[in-house]
Amino acid sequence: MKKFILFTSFFGFLLTPFSFAWAKQNVLQDLTYLQRAGTKLVDLNYRLTLETGQTAEVTFTFSHDNGSTFPVACRSITGDVGKGLTSGYKSAVWDAGVDWPLQFTDLGRIKATCLVTGEDPPPDDDRKPLAFDVVSVPLTSSKIIYSPAWSLNKWLDQAIEMGEMTKRPKGYKVAKYEVTNHQWNEVAEWSVSRGYDLKQVSYSPGEENLPRTNVAIKEVVKWLNALSEKQGLTPMYYLDPFEPRWDQNRDGKFTLGNDSMWGGEEEGDWDYQWDPNFDWTLIPNGKKHLTGGWIEFDPNYNGMWDEGEPFYDRNRNKVFDEGIDSLWGGEEEGDWDYEWDPNFDWTLIPNGKKHLTGGWIEFDPNYNGMWDEGEPFYDRNRNGKFEPWEFFDLNNNGKVDDGLTEVCRTGDISSIEKYLGGFSIGLHTKLDRGGFTLPKSDFAFSETHFLAMGGRENSEWGEYWDYYKPGPPDEGPKQGLIFKDEWPWGAESPDEMPNIDEYAITPFGKFSSPQGVGLTKANDFGIYDMIGNVREYINHWHKGTPPGYFYGEPFVIKEVMVSGGSVSNGFEKVQNWDSWDPDYSEPKWEIVPSQVMAPYLEDWSPDLGDEINPPSADGNPDVGFRPVRWTF
């Protein structure tokens, strides 16, 4: 009688010798396998020991003749098998009843085959720790619309106008490499005796040149301050914020007025949401149904007026008169707004009546974002002069606060949110103080994109909309040289390049984890790893909504943003809406260069703000950082 047995002997070693990469040690060790009682399922366990940058492909075959041959491939197997395996203890389950049905033996054995990729020794094994070093990058102008240099210069114009900068930079000093473990510890050690609470990072021998990762951004800003002071520069990050200014009426000075260029946005505007002197006899029961700036005129949603519900009392008799009064507010003649009320007090909005069209006042007829003589405004003090509140009074003390006096050396810079109601790193940074900071990026431009491209500015002739030029948006498109988004090495996408390992450490190359900095080619600016290896923090960090800083309805802002793409993140294929195929009228799915080199949002709606792979403010294993500073 045959026994229902597959195996009678088990081995904790491989039955045949293998050649392993680097030949320093067996890569696959401690192999064991055991058939489950009463089944034809076989449990396999083993251990992989790989070098940095290696992955393994493991497959199994079966012998029914005590290892003389291994004719059966273990295909019906689940668990830790196949490509992309990393170091550690592994397990899998083989269903022998599928691959070797109705067969029996007491001489069964299993062989594991291990193919290692990333087999060349790490090229930085013998390199000494790299010192912190910078390269000089000139800030050039450009006539190529939407190019990194063109967009950056447009943003600088706005930053100077807004008071974020007082002078125009000539260029950059940019860290040649992403900050390494060794470089971090050098600055952290120096900083301790200078009042900083920075901690050194622990790492194993040979990891000196790995990027500093898993670091909270609140620690990064302190390290950047320490680096600045170590090099005799003025620190960039401060615990106390400054209040941004904007010379809206362009008189060359900042005033403490209380007028508004835009109607209905701030306290004192003539509506029930903001005006403390609003005449509530117009809307009986309205105030008690006011929620979030809106009156619910039909709380029970029955389409009828019921006792106790709000209504527009046009004849002021406090009784809802069918045919005279209105159940819904602001829709018919006699409602208390400038569209319908013949007795509306136009001294509240000088120049408003002549710009009233279709029931709406055009507050910025030339679309330049500024108040110009003769345009409407909300004149709260009724003196006929436009006196805007030309700075953001974050602490509501009625005066301009310069801030930026307490250098951030200890603690958490974002704790300022306790009395501001929100946090923005931009309010704690004076851009032209000359110290080291993170590259600044926003939705319309990106220093990281500019630096990553290394000066490459390919273009093609086409149509474009000049969003920066003042004027109505319906002037139509213009023609000119338009920036053609490409990679620093050319047009070929990294996932299609057989030699990508020469240019960047990406998910498409031979490495599966971050490597030492500077192993690939530098771009034309002399900067390494702007694309690939690890993603990099940028100077965009918000929490909540600081009062007075953002207009409109509150919206969710992601805390931290990054750029660069890494071996494990940031190279997703997205819909490139600028690359429609006219034959199919649908966008292409591809890796968009600007999505990798700059923060990218899947949806431009501020309500969503879901950038691809947002990092944590507390650090990620594939996120590092790179210091930059402006030169003047």
Side-chain angles (χ1 to χ4, degrees):
M1 180 176 178
K2 290 188 176 180
K3 299 178 181 179
F4 290 88
I5 298 177
L6 289 172
F7 313 107
T8 57
S9 57
F10 314 104
F11 298 85
F13 56 89
L14 298 180
L15 298 175
T16 55
F18 298 96
S19 59
F20 295 98
W22 305 343
K24 293 181 179 179
Q25 59 185 1
N26 287 343
V27 173
L28 194 151
Q29 301 169 316
D30 302 335
L31 173 65
T32 63
Y33 38 85
L34 179 65
Q35 182 179 350
R36 295 183 189 178
T39 74
K40 292 190 178 182
L41 298 178
V42 181
D43 291 302
L44 302 102
N45 294 279
Y46 62 98
R47 179 166 58 93
L48 287 177
T49 305
L50 300 166
E51 298 285 352
T52 300
Q54 286 187 319
T55 60
E57 179 182 1
V58 176
T59 57
F60 295 91
T61 51
F62 170 65
S63 170
H64 62 279
D65 56 10
N66 204 31
S68 296
T69 62
F70 287 86
V72 180
C74 302
R75 292 188 176 91
S76 300
I77 190 169
T78 58
D80 295 317
V81 293
K83 297 180 179 180
L85 299 177
T86 55
S87 293
Y89 288 94
K90 310 294 178 182
S91 62
V93 178
W94 176 44
D95 191 342
V98 175
D99 293 334
W100 202 56
L102 302 178
Q103 303 291 326
F104 308 92
T105 183
D106 57 0
L107 299 175
R109 298 191 181 190
I110 286 182
K111 178 174 71 173
T113 302
C114 180
L115 176 64
V116 177
T117 57
E119 296 181 359
D120 297 329
D124 64 334
D125 264 2
D126 299 323
R127 291 195 304 173
K128 295 179 180 179
L130 293 170
F132 178 79
D133 195 9
V134 296
V135 296
S136 297
V137 175
L139 178 60
T140 57
S141 61
S142 175
K143 295 183 179 179
I144 300 175
I145 309 301
Y146 304 140
S147 70
W150 183 89
S151 300
L152 186 54
N153 278 282
K154 290 290 185 180
W155 176 83
L156 284 170
D157 292 339
Q158 186 182 52
I160 292 173
E161 183 179 3
M162 292 283 287
E164 295 181 58
M165 303 182 69
T166 58
K167 50 190 175 182
R168 194 174 192 86
K170 296 180 179 178
Y172 292 90
K173 297 291 185 181
V174 183
K176 187 182 294 186
Y177 313 108
E178 294 159 336
V179 170
T180 66
N181 290 327
H182 169 74
Q183 293 168 6
W184 175 277
N185 282 355
E186 274 198 327
V187 173
E189 182 181 10
W190 176 91
S191 73
V192 173
S193 61
R194 276 78 176 179
Y196 286 85
D197 61 2
L198 287 169
K199 304 295 182 184
Q200 296 192 47
V201 60
S202 298
Y203 56 85
S204 301
E207 295 180 343
E208 291 84 358
N209 291 329
L210 284 180
R212 172 71 168 105
T213 58
N214 289 306
V215 58
I217 192 170
K218 64 183 179 182
E219 302 303 315
V220 168
V221 299
K222 289 185 287 189
W223 189 91
L224 290 166
N225 276 354
L227 174 66
S228 296
E229 293 196 287
K230 187 173 186 291
Q231 296 197 4
L233 302 170
T234 303
M236 294 290 287
Y237 297 98
Y238 295 80
L239 292 174
D240 51 330
F242 83 102
E243 293 176 339
R245 298 83 189 238
W246 187 18
D247 186 12
Q248 277 189 308
N249 61 0
R250 293 180 292 189
D251 63 357
K253 59 185 178 181
F254 298 113
T255 58
L256 187 60
N258 59 356
D259 298 333
S260 171
M261 176 179 168
W262 312 102
E265 288 188 353
E266 302 176 27
E267 290 190 22
D269 291 349
W270 196 269
D271 57 42
Y272 53 70
Q273 181 175 4
W274 298 114
D275 187 1
N277 301 313
F278 182 76
D279 182 4
W280 283 102
T281 62
L282 172 68
I283 311 178
N285 308 314
K287 198 168 189 178
K288 68 179 182 181
H289 288 284
L290 178 65
T291 304
W294 299 95
I295 295 175
E296 180 52 72
F297 280 88
D298 188 20
N300 59 5
Y301 299 97
N302 67 351
M304 308 283 287
W305 182 81
D306 300 288
E307 193 68 37
E309 291 184 345
F311 64 96
Y312 265 62
D313 187 21
R314 293 195 176 89
N315 56 9
R316 298 294 201 282
N317 65 355
K318 300 181 182 179
V319 176
F320 181 67
D321 297 307
E322 191 75 40
I324 299 177
D325 298 330
S326 171
L327 172 65
W328 313 103
E331 291 187 347
E332 302 175 29
E333 291 190 23
D335 291 348
W336 193 269
D337 57 42
Y338 48 70
E339 181 176 1
W340 300 114
D341 187 2
N343 300 314
F344 182 76
D345 182 4
W346 283 103
T347 62
L348 173 68
I349 310 179
N351 310 312
K353 198 168 188 177
K354 69 179 182 180
H355 289 284
L356 177 66
T357 304
W360 298 94
I361 295 176
E362 181 53 72
F363 279 89
D364 188 22
N366 61 3
Y367 298 94
N368 68 349
M370 296 283 192
W371 183 82
D372 300 288
E373 194 68 40
E375 291 185 344
F377 63 94
Y378 266 64
D379 187 18
R380 294 194 178 88
N381 58 8
R382 299 292 204 283
N383 68 354
K385 299 177 182 178
F386 181 53
E387 299 172 327
W389 194 282
E390 294 190 321
F391 65 94
F392 297 108
D393 191 15
L394 295 174
N395 54 9
N396 295 312
N397 65 353
K399 64 179 182 179
V400 179
D401 297 299
D402 283 327
L404 304 184
T405 61
E406 301 176 46
V407 176
C408 180
R409 297 187 179 96
T410 63
D412 183 355
I413 191 173
S414 68
S415 62
I416 198 76
E417 68 184 2
K418 292 178 181 177
Y419 62 87
L420 286 185
F423 172 78
S424 170
I425 194 67
L427 301 182
H428 297 256
T429 313
K430 190 63 183 253
L431 297 178
D432 53 9
R433 291 202 169 187
F436 283 102
T437 182
L438 297 170
K440 185 172 177 61
S441 295
D442 216 324
F443 307 123
F445 87 103
S446 170
E447 286 182 339
T448 53
H449 193 187
F450 171 75
L451 297 173
M453 287 300 290
R456 177 183 290 270
E457 287 212 331
N458 286 332
S459 63
E460 58 187 8
W461 189 265
E463 291 187 343
Y464 70 95
W465 294 84
D466 191 351
Y467 300 109
Y468 286 92
K469 184 179 180 181
D474 57 351
E475 287 186 349
K478 300 181 178 181
Q479 289 190 333
L481 288 175
I482 314 298
F483 180 62
K484 183 180 179 181
D485 232 358
E486 293 191 4
W487 303 89
W489 53 76
E492 195 169 6
S493 182
D495 59 332
E496 298 173 355
M497 291 179 65
N499 61 337
I500 185 60
D501 293 323
E502 297 179 25
Y503 295 91
I505 296 170
T506 70
F508 320 108
K510 63 184 178 181
F511 296 111
S512 61
S513 60
Q515 300 296 300
V517 300
L519 301 183
T520 57
K521 293 180 180 179
N523 66 15
D524 289 344
F525 284 155
I527 310 173
Y528 291 86
D529 297 312
M530 283 297 293
I531 301 174
N533 211 15
V534 296
R535 297 181 293 166
E536 300 175 12
Y537 283 132
I538 62 172
N539 211 53
H540 188 110
W541 180 16
H542 295 297
K543 294 177 69 174
T545 306
Y549 190 51
F550 299 102
Y551 289 116
E553 293 294 315
F555 54 84
V556 176
I557 308 172
K558 296 292 184 184
E559 284 193 12
V560 179
M561 294 177 71
V562 296
S563 66
S566 72
V567 290
S568 58
N569 246 329
F571 283 91
E572 290 84 351
K573 289 193 174 183
V574 299
Q575 288 181 315
N576 184 2
W577 297 95
D578 297 325
S579 308
W580 281 11
D581 186 334
D583 296 329
Y584 296 97
S585 298
E586 60 184 28
K588 296 179 180 178
W589 285 87
E590 60 186 10
I591 298 172
V592 183
S594 58
Q595 170 251 327
V596 175
M597 291 179 273
Y600 178 86
L601 297 182
E602 286 184 308
D603 195 306
W604 288 83
S605 168
D607 296 323
L608 300 178
D610 52 346
E611 66 263 25
I612 288 180
N613 293 320
S616 165
D618 296 323
N620 297 70
D622 78 315
V623 174
F625 69 101
R626 181 188 307 272
V628 302
R629 69 180 183 90
W630 276 330
T631 55
F632 298 91

